[in-house]
Amino acid sequence: MMKPALFLDRDGVINVDYGYVHSRERFHFTDGIFELARTASARGYLIVVVTNQAGIGRGLYGEAEFYSLTDWMCSHFLKQNVKIDRVYFSPYHPTAGIGRYQQDHVSRKPRPGMLIQAQRELKIDMTASILIGDKCSDIEAGSAAGVGTNLLLQADFAPDLPCVGCTRIATLREALPFFADFGVWDS
């Protein structure tokens, strides 16, 4: 059976985006993230993180640091009684990447590679799914992957920002009414 997912960008949605966040000391959860994830999970949505991590490609930190921080982040979600079902990341950058990381990889948002991979691996119903991102590239990836609801999280709306195919929200709590009740599936 196909399941809907809540796709979350990391920096700017799950945590405050200070730029290339790669340590626990600089990782601060955003207001409302645990309530949002618990609500989605209780209504039958998988929780899937899709995050560009160009800091790896730029040589600012390594994959091992990313995995360590990800494990720590996921453990905090578990302490809040919600499980992150999967984390996908793209360490590439088309111009600033170093070595093998310098490429316009299909996984890097705004391309939909991470979402398509999640759909295939987790059997996700994309039209019933929701994506929350803080950049137009997140929305473009969601739209390209066929995600039914794409929410752009911006506390201060930039009216001149040309971001189409989304609903703008100022807080994560504004996303709660978008969740239909799909029931809970057996994993």
Side-chain angles (χ1 to χ4, degrees):
M1 176 181 273
M2 303 283 278
K3 306 166 203 158
L6 168 60
F7 292 104
L8 297 170
D9 179 43
R10 197 191 79 175
D11 300 325
V13 176
I14 291 176
N15 59 282
V16 177
D17 188 356
Y18 296 118
Y20 305 110
V21 174
H22 63 280
S23 67
R24 295 175 187 181
E25 296 76 29
R26 290 179 40 93
F27 196 102
H28 300 109
F29 290 100
T30 57
D31 186 41
I33 188 62
F34 297 119
E35 177 187 6
L36 173 78
R38 277 192 302 269
T39 298
S41 182
R43 294 187 180 164
Y45 289 76
L46 297 171
I47 309 297
V48 180
V49 177
V50 287
T51 177
N52 284 347
Q53 289 295 312
I56 295 170
R58 292 170 183 259
L60 302 175
Y61 53 95
E63 288 189 35
E65 289 170 282
F66 172 78
Y67 286 125
S68 176
L69 184 60
T70 297
D71 289 344
W72 176 83
M73 175 189 76
C74 289
S75 73
H76 275 276
F77 273 84
L78 285 173
K79 288 176 187 174
Q80 294 292 323
N81 299 314
V82 65
K83 176 186 173 204
I84 293 178
D85 293 284
R86 193 74 54 93
V87 176
Y88 295 92
F89 74 102
S90 181
Y92 306 100
H93 193 279
T95 58
I98 299 169
R100 70 180 179 98
Y101 295 116
Q102 185 179 12
Q103 58 178 297
D104 187 17
H105 198 273
V106 68
S107 65
R108 182 174 167 76
K109 295 179 284 182
R111 297 180 77 185
M114 288 185 280
L115 294 127
I116 300 300
Q117 183 180 356
Q119 176 187 27
R120 185 179 61 249
E121 292 177 356
L122 302 174
K123 297 178 177 50
I124 294 173
D125 178 347
M126 298 302 265
T127 60
S129 294
I130 297 172
L131 177 139
I132 302 177
D134 67 325
K135 294 180 178 67
C136 286
S137 59
D138 299 316
I139 303 307
E140 290 173 36
S143 294
V147 174
T149 302
N150 293 282
L151 304 176
L152 181 64
L153 176 64
Q154 293 183 326
D156 298 316
F157 292 152
D160 59 334
L161 187 65
C163 197
V164 295
C166 69
T167 300
R168 294 173 188 243
I169 58 174
T171 69
L172 290 174
R173 285 184 181 86
E174 290 179 32
L176 296 176
F178 287 90
F179 290 94
D181 192 350
F182 284 93
V184 178
W185 286 275
D186 294 327
S187 298

